[in-house]
Amino acid sequence: MIGSIKKYFSDIYNGVKSLFTGMKVTGHYVTHPGEIITQQYPENRDTLKMFERFRGEVVLIHDENNEHKCTGCSACELACPNGTIEIISDKAIDEETGKPKKIIDTFVYHLQMCTFCNLCILACPTDAIKMAQTYEHSVFDRSELTKVLNKPGSKIMQGIK
Amino acid sequence: MEEVAQNIETQEYFINMGPQHPSTHGVLRLMLTLDGEIIKKVQPHLGYIHRSIEKMCEKDSYQQVVHLTDRMDYLGCHINNEAVCLTVEKGLELEVPDRVKVIRTIISELTRLSSHQLWWGVMGMDLGAITTFLYGFRDREMITDIFEETCGARLTMNYNVPGGLMFDIHPNFQNRTKQFLEHFKKKLPEYDKLLTGNVIFTERTKGIGYLSKEDAISYGVTGPSARASGFSCDVRKKNPYSAYDRVDFKEILFTEGDCFARYQARIAEMWESMKIIEQLIDNIPEGEYKAKTKAVIKLPPGEYYQRVETPRGELGVYIISDNKKNPYRVKFRSPGFSNLSALDKMARGFKIADLVAIMSTLDLVIPDIDR
């Protein structure tokens, strides 16, 4: 009888003690606001910078003369597991040799199908594409996610084969 | 009073738990047969997030198979990637550089830590404590930052390729990992203070959901859930892969087999994971980050199997090759599926609220079960 009464009170004591142990931890963070790591996301949009390897979306690199390095070899199209990249190629006459060669007409990128696996970037023999560090991809219509990556009027850099 | 209770006729009835239920961690439907609040039978119904990953693998090249395994057990995705790569390397009889082995081991253990941190947070939340969820995610954030900097993604990393790694580790990787270890060594005792000693938590987990060693073996339960029942099944010890044969760590074993033992096993595993990382982080050998492979990988005809230890248990990858660039058949032995099969045995005779605790300690990830 006495044992059970003793157990009753020791249970209450241990229970209250364990609750206060936990509350001590949470109380520590109330009194030390410097240790809080929460980021206020939409407000810090201007200062928020992604890491350089972060995979946001595929972009075709253009230089200041509106030239890119894509030869239209379709290596990225073959490497892609989901059919995300579609290259529509065109024929042009090489100015130096006079032979017909393949150039890209449109580089279609379906962002909605992309799994960001980075295999296209690894496959590219001329390093023409890269992953951009963008992160807000939501749009109002699905068709906006299908993008043409080569800018209008752009052409291939000289010397890239 | 007891006499009255005996005379009341009770009737068994069915109730659906899920597929959209906050404590099933995904789309899992449990058909419960109940008598009052006592569970008589649990029938899991699967397939709500089945994406036929195994079938999709058959049309993909071996490099492309890797990224699909990110989507199975998304909390241990690096280890899934590693499993596929190890199987392909086995088929090619390819020896990867030492540097790759060590980096793979470090990132695997970081993955295990981040998975267990998330599990700890969610487990607390299932049992009614929101605080743990926020604390678990706070520490996990440091690991996802390490992954983001080195691998390029936070969750579906796809960092392994057959033959090595996608790119070398980031120059900041070692420093950040050391910073994280220093930080987390101070924070892990907080986990004990918040949950392990808490009277409500211990009342709801001690003696609940007992699984004997024999049952664990016969149901094929693996991972921390089985080791809490005393079944020694750590693939890292039994069949070392990557760099696990050169590190010193303990296999965590408990014999109680209840929810609290499974909880303790995972907390203890976090300490062991940190121990493994500490031994390796300063000793990453110099060298190539990728062995040379052909652009189109073709495995010689035959069957290849490799098992690894994910945060949830043993993952096996079985590939049949017929000398084409795609696998003929791929089969994943996922830990979640086998662990779930023991749920009925564990939950019988307990109450619905206990079922939530049992499911939490099994650490189910539904896309891993359905694939």
Side-chain angles (χ1 to χ4, degrees):
Chain A
M1 185 64 191
I2 291 170
S4 69
I5 291 169
K6 214 175 168 184
K7 190 178 173 299
Y8 177 76
F9 282 108
S10 76
D11 278 356
I12 291 177
Y13 172 74
N14 286 331
V16 171
K17 195 183 153 196
S18 78
L19 291 180
F20 274 103
T21 320
M23 279 171 80
K24 206 177 144 193
V25 175
T26 47
H28 174 81
Y29 289 100
V30 173
T31 51
H32 294 74
E35 289 183 38
I36 295 169
I37 56 148
T38 317
Q39 291 183 11
Q40 299 298 327
Y41 164 58
E43 288 84 10
N44 73 349
R45 207 183 265 154
D46 300 330
T47 53
L48 188 64
K49 206 175 166 303
M50 293 287 140
F51 293 110
E52 58 192 279
R53 286 183 188 172
F54 179 75
R55 302 178 201 146
E57 62 175 322
V58 177
V59 289
L60 192 63
I61 308 165
H62 287 75
D63 67 358
E64 62 276 9
N65 302 327
N66 204 12
E67 287 176 340
H68 58 76
K69 290 188 199 163
C70 181
T71 58
C73 68
S74 305
C76 47
E77 195 177 343
L78 286 171
C80 182
N82 319 303
T84 308
I85 295 170
E86 236 179 283
I87 291 176
I88 302 163
S89 54
D90 204 358
K91 286 267 160 59
I93 307 290
D94 198 328
E95 283 164 13
E96 286 171 20
T97 56
K99 286 176 188 164
K101 70 167 187 179
K102 206 165 138 190
I103 55 159
I104 54 164
D105 181 44
T106 31
F107 191 115
V108 186
Y109 172 54
H110 300 279
L111 181 59
Q112 74 270 37
M113 288 199 264
C114 188
T115 52
F116 309 102
C117 64
N118 212 34
L119 291 177
C120 51
I121 315 289
L122 293 183
C124 185
T126 55
D127 293 333
I129 44 174
K130 68 162 188 175
M131 281 284 179
Q133 279 76 48
T134 51
Y135 49 87
E136 283 174 354
H137 290 310
S138 58
V139 287
F140 284 104
D141 193 86
R142 200 183 347 174
S143 61
E144 289 172 50
L145 289 168
T146 304
K147 296 178 180 181
V148 176
L149 294 188
N150 54 335
K151 289 183 190 164
S154 66
K155 58 179 186 189
I156 186 165
M157 263 180 223
Q158 284 204 327
I160 302 290
K161 275 177 189 161
Chain B
M1 193 64 192
E2 276 175 15
E3 213 169 273
V4 176
Q6 275 169 7
N7 291 336
I8 294 173
E9 276 187 22
T10 57
Q11 199 179 4
E12 283 188 0
Y13 65 103
F14 295 101
I15 197 166
N16 273 322
M17 188 167 165
Q20 303 292 342
H21 190 276
S23 77
T24 54
H25 301 260
V27 278
L28 173 69
R29 176 176 151 220
L30 298 175
M31 242 172 79
L32 310 178
T33 309
L34 300 167
D35 181 9
E37 215 189 343
I38 312 287
I39 292 166
K40 292 281 175 202
K41 200 175 171 192
V42 182
Q43 281 177 288
H45 280 239
L46 309 173
Y48 289 92
I49 193 160
H50 180 75
R51 294 144 298 168
S52 72
I53 284 181
E54 286 173 9
K55 191 72 189 166
M56 278 156 81
C57 289
E58 289 171 19
K59 74 153 182 51
D60 282 349
S61 72
Y62 289 101
Q63 285 98 331
Q64 291 171 344
V65 166
V66 176
H67 94 286
L68 284 173
T69 56
D70 281 339
R71 274 91 191 158
M72 295 182 344
D73 176 2
Y74 47 78
L75 295 178
C77 62
H78 179 86
I79 307 179
N80 299 355
N81 294 169
E82 195 182 351
V84 176
C85 291
L86 286 170
T87 321
V88 174
E89 282 152 18
K90 209 182 216 177
L92 292 172
E93 292 181 354
L94 185 78
E95 183 68 26
V96 294
D98 253 12
R99 188 180 174 80
V100 176
K101 288 184 182 173
V102 172
I103 294 172
R104 275 182 180 172
T105 312
I106 294 172
I107 296 198
S108 292
E109 289 310 311
L110 282 174
T111 312
R112 195 182 314 279
L113 273 171
S114 82
S115 169
H116 283 345
Q117 283 164 352
L118 189 138
W119 157 81
W120 179 80
V122 172
M123 162 124 201
M125 205 170 72
D126 281 345
L127 299 181
I130 295 283
T131 317
T132 61
F133 183 73
L134 301 170
Y135 280 50
F137 267 70
R138 175 196 65 190
D139 300 330
R140 187 171 175 270
E141 185 62 28
M142 288 188 85
I143 298 184
T144 46
D145 272 350
I146 294 171
F147 289 158
E148 199 179 339
E149 197 171 35
T150 290
C151 317
R154 294 161 65 84
L155 196 66
T156 52
M157 299 183 288
N158 192 30
Y159 186 49
N160 282 318
V161 290
L165 306 167
M166 199 170 254
F167 3 76
D168 208 350
I169 49 168
H170 196 273
N172 289 346
F173 176 76
Q174 277 161 302
N175 271 338
R176 268 183 186 270
T177 312
K178 278 183 216 163
Q179 267 175 25
F180 163 75
L181 287 179
E182 209 175 296
H183 165 87
F184 194 53
K185 269 193 182 154
K186 281 184 225 137
K187 298 298 179 189
L188 193 48
E190 265 184 19
Y191 286 26
D192 285 338
K193 281 183 198 161
L194 279 170
L195 216 53
T196 315
N198 187 288
V199 62
I200 303 166
F201 180 76
T202 46
E203 285 289 314
R204 286 196 62 183
T205 49
K206 270 190 182 161
I208 303 292
Y210 175 72
L211 183 73
S212 69
K213 187 181 171 184
E214 287 71 31
D215 285 334
I217 293 170
S218 65
Y219 280 102
V221 180
T222 46
S225 314
R227 291 198 281 279
S229 302
F231 173 32
S232 157
C233 61
D234 198 329
V235 184
R236 295 174 293 170
K237 277 277 184 208
K238 304 273 169 214
N239 198 354
Y241 54 96
S242 291
Y244 284 112
D245 48 354
R246 66 185 82 164
V247 288
D248 169 47
F249 66 102
K250 279 205 301 267
E251 183 178 357
I252 306 297
L253 283 175
F254 284 86
T255 46
E256 288 89 346
D258 58 355
C259 283
F260 195 65
R262 287 192 282 277
Y263 170 86
Q264 279 180 310
R266 287 200 172 84
I267 294 281
E269 259 195 14
M270 288 205 244
W271 287 109
E272 290 304 309
S273 289
M274 284 203 278
K275 221 165 91 184
I276 295 172
I277 300 169
E278 258 181 359
Q279 288 170 41
L280 292 173
I281 192 69
D282 281 324
N283 306 319
I284 301 178
E286 294 295 318
E288 292 289 307
Y289 63 87
K290 189 176 181 298
K292 280 206 169 61
T293 48
K294 287 177 186 160
V296 178
I297 294 177
K298 281 183 185 172
L299 291 193
E303 301 172 8
Y304 308 99
Y305 185 75
Q306 172 73 40
R307 53 193 194 137
V308 295
E309 180 78 20
T310 74
R312 267 147 282 282
E314 182 184 320
L315 172 78
V317 178
Y318 179 62
I319 294 179
I320 304 179
S321 165
D322 57 351
N323 207 14
K324 290 209 181 79
K325 65 181 189 352
N326 312 330
Y328 175 75
R329 173 84 169 92
V330 179
K331 162 89 182 119
F332 297 108
R333 185 257 182 232
S334 71
F337 186 78
S338 308
N339 289 3
L340 178 70
S341 65
L343 184 65
D344 181 41
K345 185 89 190 167
M346 289 152 88
R348 276 188 194 194
F350 291 104
K351 299 202 165 66
I352 297 180
D354 296 332
L355 179 67
V356 175
I358 294 166
M359 278 175 69
S360 284
T361 50
L362 273 179
D363 196 9
L364 300 173
V365 167
I366 312 305
D368 180 41
I369 296 167
D370 277 350
R371 297 192 294 287

